[in-house]
Amino acid sequence: MGMKFGLVGSTSGAGSSRQNNNLENKISNAQGKVVAARVIDIVLNEKHQYYNLVGEWNGIGAIFYEIVNKSGTKSYPNFALPYDAQLKTYPLINEIVLLISLPNQSMGFVSSNESYFYMSPLGIWNHPHHNAYPNLLDGLNDEEQTRDYPSSTSGSVRRVEDSGTDIKLNGSNPTSYTFREKINIHPLLPFMGDSLLEGRYGQSLRFGSTARSDFNIFSPSKIQNNWSNSGENGDPITILRNGQPSKVSNEGWVPITEDINKDLSSIYLTSTQKIPFQLAREETKKWINPPKFPSQYSTPQILLNSGQITINSSEGSLLLSAKKSIGLSCYNEINLMGADIVLDTSHLYLGSQSASEPVLLGNKTVNTLKQLTSLLKQICKILQLDQIYPAGLPAPNGPLNAVSLTIADILSNIEVNLDDLKSTNVKTI
């Protein structure tokens, strides 16, 4: 019976030798197409000296590089473009990227033409702020920088405790000297199953879940999140954060978790989590049916927090709708402005939920007052002619005549101004 051996099962024979040689050739060819390179410059705008060389605006993001661990390999004037045109993380100077040799814009004319394209920077230090690793052969390994990168069992670790590392991180174009190293940027602590997207300055997007430490029979980490006190492990949560707390430790290598009350701006999309969100004004004593605060609400909710929040509809309408209640609360003013403001309700309470005094209707009230003043004026007119009969002879009733005349004048002025009591803006039914 004949037996067949595949690539994995065959370890001997001429066929196996040829297959191994072919595999080694493929690996060798692949190694030539993928190399690690250190970024030495990057084109970010039209002011760069090599803007025209890289293809003008089509070359934005192009990097110049040196091959890692090979001296004399600086790539001027050769350059590499981003591998992904939709999702880009532009590297800093001295960060390490992978270069992949792939067909370039000339493939329609010369199919063998290839150029390097670069992937996102390697996480040498596994830190979102930067992962620069300078060429130590360039004389940058002074004593101060050596202290910033102490040794550990896995190699060097980044522990910057002063103002910075003094590593060159910006390119040669002065108009792009905008990156500033900060030693207090902390990475996020992940929890099992999380997907994290972190920016260089404390921006982040977490696709996470409830991760309850009380299920851990071992001692939990000293760093815990504040959204896992309710629900079950695996309940989803999405957190968008722009900026970590302004007061944070300078031990930038120690991970942290998000805090909606301290981070600069946040959006939370929850499922079963109770978020310890502190409202600027937590007061519902005057509500008829007070709602639950976000910290007590354990069903899906969306929370936004920032120094100021502006919602604007530039074309259509802004709609706020709720099944139970809508609350507007602040310590100073609430302003409603519009050509027309309509309050459609079965009961409107002003001042307190226990308000019991009804509001008067303007037109009906004014009409009633007009009728009353008209009748009073007629009485005053009669009283102005009132007489007395001392010794049986008629004589004017001086005091009553004078008082009734004065009252009649006052009533006339009131009657003239009654329509001014009605508001021209506020209407009721």
Side-chain angles (χ1 to χ4, degrees), residues 225-382:
N225 65 61
N226 61 9
W227 61 81
S228 295
N229 294 324
S230 64
E232 302 293 334
N233 282 342
D235 292 343
I237 186 171
T238 300
I239 302 175
L240 175 62
R241 175 197 65 164
N242 182 59
Q244 61 187 18
S246 55
K247 295 181 180 180
V248 69
S249 78
N250 286 334
E251 294 181 334
W253 60 88
V254 179
I256 61 175
T257 59
E258 299 91 335
D259 188 330
I260 192 171
N261 298 304
K262 297 180 180 179
D263 295 332
L264 301 186
S265 296
S266 303
I267 299 177
Y268 280 56
L269 287 77
T270 74
S271 56
T272 63
Q273 299 82 11
K274 292 181 179 179
I275 307 300
F277 187 18
Q278 299 170 2
L279 299 180
R281 181 173 182 175
E282 294 187 347
E283 183 177 329
T284 59
K285 293 180 179 178
K286 295 185 178 181
W287 288 56
I288 297 176
N289 297 301
K292 288 184 178 180
F293 287 126
S295 58
Q296 300 300 318
Y297 199 78
S298 59
T299 51
Q301 63 177 324
I302 298 176
L303 304 175
L304 293 87
N305 190 43
S306 189
Q308 177 169 304
I309 297 176
T310 301
I311 302 176
N312 179 64
S313 175
S314 61
E315 296 292 339
S317 302
L318 177 63
L319 306 178
L320 296 178
S321 177
K323 189 174 182 179
K324 291 187 177 180
S325 58
I326 294 177
L328 299 176
S329 177
C330 69
Y331 282 106
N332 292 315
E333 299 180 8
I334 294 178
N335 299 293
L336 300 176
M337 293 172 286
D340 297 294
I341 297 178
V342 178
L343 298 177
D344 184 4
T345 177
S346 57
H347 295 91
L348 179 61
Y349 300 90
L350 298 178
S352 171
Q353 81 274 29
S354 60
S356 58
E357 291 293 327
V359 175
L360 297 177
L361 301 179
N363 289 333
K364 292 183 177 181
T365 300
V366 168
N367 290 336
T368 300
L369 291 175
K370 284 182 177 180
Q371 293 175 9
L372 180 60
T373 55
S374 178
L375 293 173
L376 291 174
K377 284 171 60 179
Q378 293 180 29
I379 295 174
C380 288
K381 187 176 180 179
I382 295 172

Side-chain angles (χ1 to χ4, degrees), residues 162-195:
D162 52 15
S163 60
T165 58
D166 297 325
I167 294 176
K168 181 180 179 182
L169 298 170
N170 292 286
S172 63
N173 178 15
T175 65
S176 300
Y177 287 178
T178 59
F179 185 85
R180 294 294 180 267
E181 183 177 20
K182 296 185 176 183
I183 65 172
N184 64 345
I185 299 297
H186 294 251
L188 284 181
L189 182 72
F191 299 92
M192 186 61 69
D194 282 358
S195 296

